[in-house]
Amino acid sequence: MHPRRLITLCLLSLAPMLAGAAEVPYPDGFRNWQHVKSMILKPGHPLYEAVGGMHHIYGNKKAIQGYQANRFADGSVIVFDLFEAVDKDNAISEGARKAVVVMARDRAKFKATDGWGYQVFDAKTRKGSLDGKGQADCHACHMSQKAQDFVFSRLRD
Ligand code: HEC
């Protein structure tokens, strides 16, 4: 390989590390995963600024086993699919998708946050916007759920 190309490749593979955040991949196909629960956060809720609107939570197969066992294995992925909540004619409906918010379990990759990688993907570009500091902020709140392996939601029938 031409040395210049090799250097470019090395720099490209370094970029995520330099940004201080391990990569969480976009959760392709998550709409075929099992639904965990839904919730609407209205103005006035403490999390409204960050994740106001209607969300649906999904888990892949390993994550569903994790909900049942209260312990999530590497490879578990949980998606918090966030939409505008449109309050009209005495009904609340899904509006535009606001973001795809993800937690992915990989104990080796995400050591600093107890093995959970956090990311917020743009609804249209599917690009992640969180750096290492942002991920730490997510985890700071999820720490309160340590007894449930840092996951807030519960699986219902
Ligand atoms: C101030 C507290 C707080 C912060 C900060 C926070 N979360 Fe959460 N998160 C919650 C709560 C509460 C739920 C449960 C929502 C429900 O039950 O529907 C939740 C749920 C989730 C879920 C679904 C799995 C679970 O734990 O139930 C994901 C994925 C998630 N958050 C990702 C993130 C990401 C990524 C960030 C950082 C951008 C973040 N969270 C920051 C409180 C927080």
Side-chain angles (χ1 to χ4, degrees):
M1 192 184 296
H2 191 279
R4 202 184 299 148
R5 229 186 119 205
L6 192 63
I7 289 169
T8 312
L9 269 180
C10 290
L11 286 178
L12 276 178
S13 56
L14 264 177
M17 280 185 255
L18 292 175
E23 289 286 320
V24 174
Y26 185 84
D28 283 319
F30 75 86
R31 286 277 289 134
N32 294 321
W33 299 356
Q34 185 169 331
H35 174 248
V36 175
K37 64 166 298 217
S38 300
M39 189 175 185
I40 297 173
L41 301 186
K42 302 200 290 181
H45 188 279
L47 285 172
Y48 185 78
E49 282 306 312
V51 286
M54 184 189 302
H55 67 251
H56 311 289
I57 296 177
Y58 299 88
N60 69 359
K61 222 176 231 160
K62 282 192 175 167
I64 297 303
Q65 288 164 356
Y67 276 106
Q68 287 156 348
N70 241 352
R71 189 176 155 79
F72 292 78
D74 284 356
S76 300
V77 181
I78 309 175
V79 174
F80 179 111
D81 196 14
L82 179 63
F83 295 82
E84 306 274 358
V86 181
D87 193 341
K88 192 171 164 253
D89 301 333
N90 300 315
I92 300 177
S93 315
E94 287 179 354
R97 179 177 269 134
K98 290 175 77 178
V100 173
V101 183
V102 175
M103 283 170 74
R105 196 87 205 246
D106 185 327
R107 286 173 174 80
K109 210 164 149 188
F110 305 110
K111 276 205 182 95
T113 42
D114 291 297
W116 281 109
Y118 294 82
Q119 191 50 274
V120 178
F121 293 95
D122 183 277
K124 292 206 173 68
T125 66
R126 298 187 171 189
K127 286 225 159 68
S129 57
L130 280 189
D131 58 8
K133 158 91 175 64
Q135 297 188 332
D137 289 346
C138 304
H139 193 58
C141 184
H142 278 253
M143 286 273 277
S144 66
Q145 303 304 304
K146 191 166 182 200
Q148 282 78 229
D149 219 358
F150 310 100
V151 172
F152 276 96
S153 50
R154 301 283 173 271
L155 191 63
R156 57 166 165 74
D157 290 341

